[in-house]
Amino acid sequence: MEDLQSFLRDRCLTVLNLPEKGRSLFTARDFRPGEVILRQEPYVSVPNNNSSESRCDGCFKTNGLKKCSGCQVVWYCGSSCQKSEWKLHRHECKALCRLEKEKRMLVTPTIRLMVKLYLKRNLQNEKVIPITTTDNYSLVEALVSHMSELNEKQLMLYAQMANLVNLILQFPSIDLKEIAENFSKFSCNAHSICDSELRPEGIGLLPLVSIINHSCSPNAVLVFEEKMAVVRAMKNISRDSEVTISYIETAGSTLTRKKSLKEQYLFHCQCVRCSNIGKPHDIEESATLEGYRCANEKCTGFLLRDPDEKGFVCHKCMLLRSKEEVKKLAVDVKTVSAKAPPASPSAENKHDAIALYMTMEKLQDKLYHSFSITLMRTREKLLKMLMEVENWREALDYCKLIVPVYQRVYPETHPLIGLQFYTQGKLEWLLGQTEEAVSSLIKAYDILRISHGTGAPFIKELSTKLDEARAEASYKLLALKDGN
């Protein structure tokens, strides 16, 4: 802990123990939006390989991969990544080869993560892999497991997973109880490693980043540069303030967020947003994000239950919407959604899926408030599918409907807002709406330079696109003047 505090002091940070929260990260100076607060490579990490897509174990890339000739489970993009991973993988390879080939293919990323955790711990103890202040097993030991709060079903699952890890490793003095406890630590502390556009690529254990507590109104954001975790300030953070990030999707009512945090992370959130539960603003937020729309389509009010139990009353125009009407629409939405494919449909079924989701979106638009999270999710799926079939015009229409909801439910510098403006700008440019594209790309850049940093390849690419769009807009304007 002393070495860790010294490491953090050099970065103007400190760890304090807070009642109800435990270890917490605090600033020792002011941080500006976009400043890096902390960086950490994962102690161990694995890609999300599946039957449809494989990734390099070293860099998580998908191009030019070759299988490990030994275990036939792990992939590499080239000799550089294979060499960097070899000290650890040579032992993992032997362990995986003890399983029958068919069973090796069923080893999940979480099981692999645990196998690599114990292999690395042993190799560091044997000084084959160096130990550093931020890369050592003692940081994993310090993580909270919440074992005492788990139910019997979860404990049984972790025990079965621990036995599988034992079967793979076959260490003579392995502690099954410790492995089960580490699986519990994984559930609360492992992070999804995402690409620049926040698409999950793998999972990693980041024990230093795990010191940072959750808030539904965070002042920092976690992004990844390949596998490197980078925590940046999203807003001005004054000296002696706690650094917070979000563990969950924060678009939702207070009750939804608190339920999600309790189920996955086993704590009751007491952040600024959650402490307002039951207050007028919180009631309005819940009714807007998860409630119904006014029967008057031109009204933007939210609905609350009618005291006489006849239905729902708009807080703005006081118009009553009957329970029967709401129930009928809800049944219609449920009927259509039951037919919708849960995952990305195959190419031949994509147009049918789009038609089905469009039907569902129209029904949801009649039922839910315009800022509804449910409606937003349907539009996100439609946007993705429409872009896959290159229907740019309709994709742009849905993109423009999503942006205001993102701006309502996320902090103003949240990367998801920036990425949505980036998508909107690209679509506008494709459709020849160059001036609009410039405006959207500027908004994207202003947000994403804070979350991703101006030196990130993704931001440099965005900056280049913005320069090209500006040049094209100037050329069009000049051509128009010449024509006149």
Side-chain angles (χ1 to χ4, degrees):
M1 190 62 186
E2 191 176 322
D3 288 344
L4 180 60
Q5 287 284 26
S6 176
F7 171 86
L8 292 171
R9 266 196 305 273
D10 292 342
R11 287 150 184 81
C12 299
L13 301 165
T14 188
V15 175
L16 299 177
N17 273 292
L18 300 181
E20 305 297 323
K21 279 190 172 184
R23 294 186 307 162
S24 309
L25 190 68
F26 277 75
T27 59
R29 68 166 175 87
D30 296 345
F31 282 86
R32 298 186 308 276
E35 269 197 277
V36 173
I37 298 171
L38 194 64
R39 290 180 183 270
Q40 186 187 21
E41 287 273 4
Y43 184 71
V44 283
S45 64
V46 292
N48 290 333
N49 288 342
N50 53 51
S51 56
S52 60
E53 186 177 56
S54 298
R55 294 185 178 276
C56 171
D57 238 57
C59 64
F60 288 6
K61 289 178 181 173
T62 56
N63 299 327
L65 302 183
K66 290 185 179 179
K67 263 185 185 179
C68 169
S69 58
C71 64
Q72 298 283 302
V73 172
V74 174
W75 297 79
Y76 293 109
C77 66
S79 58
S80 178
C81 280
Q82 187 174 22
K83 187 177 179 181
S84 68
E85 295 287 310
W86 182 241
K87 280 184 181 177
L88 187 57
H89 181 63
R90 65 187 292 227
H91 298 278
E92 182 193 19
C93 190
K94 287 179 185 176
L96 290 171
C97 285
R98 295 188 189 111
L99 297 175
E100 295 172 16
K101 190 174 180 180
E102 293 74 21
K103 289 181 179 178
R104 278 181 237 162
M105 302 303 142
L106 301 175
V107 174
T108 64
T110 307
I111 295 293
R112 274 200 65 208
L113 196 69
M114 187 63 75
V115 169
K116 291 180 78 170
L117 177 76
Y118 278 92
L119 288 170
K120 183 167 182 178
R121 183 194 69 173
N122 283 11
L123 291 170
Q124 284 188 325
N125 288 342
E126 295 164 6
K127 299 184 178 176
V128 175
I129 295 176
I131 294 174
T132 68
T133 303
T134 59
D135 191 60
N136 65 79
Y137 187 76
S138 64
L139 292 175
V140 179
E141 289 179 311
L143 297 174
V144 178
S145 68
H146 296 286
M147 284 290 279
S148 60
E149 299 173 54
L150 300 181
N151 59 41
E152 191 175 336
K153 186 178 178 180
Q154 287 171 308
L155 290 170
M156 184 66 71
L157 175 63
Y158 290 152
Q160 290 170 344
M161 292 166 75
N163 275 312
L164 177 54
V165 170
N166 183 35
L167 177 67
I168 295 169
L169 290 172
Q170 295 186 15
F171 288 169
S173 58
I174 201 159
D175 186 339
L176 290 175
K177 185 179 177 182
E178 184 193 70
I179 300 175
E181 189 173 340
N182 277 333
F183 273 122
S184 184
K185 289 179 180 179
F186 279 8
S187 69
C188 300
N189 294 283
H191 288 82
S192 286
I193 298 175
C194 301
D195 67 8
S196 298
E197 297 187 51
L198 305 188
R199 295 172 296 213
E201 294 184 324
I203 53 173
L205 196 61
L206 304 157
L208 192 55
V209 173
S210 293
I211 295 172
I212 302 173
N213 285 320
H214 164 84
S215 171
C216 298
S217 184
N219 55 22
V221 63
L222 170 64
V223 295
F224 288 87
E225 295 173 1
E226 292 190 347
K227 291 198 294 186
M228 171 73 78
V230 184
V231 179
R232 282 191 176 85
M234 289 175 69
K235 57 180 78 168
N236 286 312
I237 305 176
S238 57
R239 181 177 177 171
D240 299 328
S241 297
E242 185 183 5
V243 178
T244 57
I245 59 175
S246 175
Y247 292 2
I248 60 164
E249 168 59 81
T250 54
S253 69
T254 302
L255 283 174
T256 298
R257 297 193 313 272
K258 287 175 83 74
K259 182 174 182 285
S260 178
L261 288 163
K262 182 59 181 173
E263 287 177 355
Q264 187 172 353
Y265 296 99
L266 305 171
F267 70 84
H268 291 287
C269 187
Q270 301 295 329
C271 74
V272 175
R273 282 181 73 189
C274 289
S275 62
N276 288 325
I277 190 167
K279 294 180 181 177
H281 176 73
D282 180 65
I283 292 169
E284 178 182 344
E285 184 183 60
S286 299
T288 302
L289 301 183
E290 297 178 3
Y292 306 121
R293 72 173 302 154
C294 180
N296 178 1
E297 291 186 3
K298 294 181 180 179
C299 179
T300 58
F302 60 88
L303 305 190
L304 296 174
R305 284 189 179 276
D306 169 38
D308 297 328
E309 296 294 320
K310 292 179 181 177
F312 303 87
V313 178
C314 175
H315 87 291
K316 195 171 184 180
C317 68
M318 303 307 292
L319 187 64
L320 178 73
R321 194 167 195 190
S322 70
K323 284 197 291 186
E324 291 73 22
E325 183 191 356
V326 168
K327 186 177 180 181
K328 183 184 181 305
L329 268 172
V331 169
D332 290 344
V333 168
K334 190 175 181 180
T335 302
V336 176
S337 63
K339 300 174 185 175
S344 184
S346 58
E348 59 270 21
N349 296 326
K350 196 145 284 179
H351 288 283
D352 291 340
I354 289 170
L356 195 62
Y357 271 102
M358 282 184 170
T359 302
M360 184 162 69
E361 188 266 347
K362 285 182 173 62
L363 289 169
Q364 288 177 342
D365 193 31
K366 290 179 181 178
L367 177 63
Y368 297 120
H369 194 280
S370 58
F371 287 114
S372 159
I373 301 302
T374 303
L375 181 57
M376 180 185 82
R377 297 296 177 219
T378 301
R379 287 170 173 168
E380 285 173 337
K381 287 176 183 174
L382 274 167
L383 171 60
K384 182 174 182 289
M385 288 190 289
L386 286 164
M387 289 182 71
E388 286 170 351
V389 298
E390 299 184 2
N391 186 338
W392 310 127
R393 194 162 297 281
E394 286 198 85
L396 178 58
D397 291 340
Y398 282 109
C399 189
K400 287 181 176 180
L401 290 171
I402 294 167
V403 167
V405 189
Y406 276 22
Q407 291 176 308
R408 169 80 184 236
V409 298
Y410 297 119
E412 61 182 358
T413 54
H414 196 287
L416 281 175
I417 301 175
L419 289 167
Q420 201 67 14
F421 273 122
Y422 180 52
T423 300
Q424 183 173 319
K426 288 191 294 183
L427 288 168
E428 287 166 336
W429 199 4
L430 270 168
L431 293 166
Q433 301 171 21
T434 316
E435 286 188 24
E436 292 87 344
V438 170
S439 176
S440 296
L441 291 173
I442 287 171
K443 290 172 184 174
Y445 182 81
D446 286 345
I447 294 170
L448 295 173
R449 68 182 175 82
I450 292 172
S451 59
H452 289 61
T454 54
F458 174 68
I459 300 303
K460 289 179 179 178
E461 181 186 327
L462 169 55
S463 181
T464 301
K465 276 189 170 65
L466 178 54
D467 289 342
E468 290 172 0
R470 277 175 167 152
E472 187 177 306
S474 297
Y475 176 79
K476 281 186 173 181
L477 185 62
L478 191 62
L480 185 63
K481 285 179 179 178
D482 288 346
N484 290 336

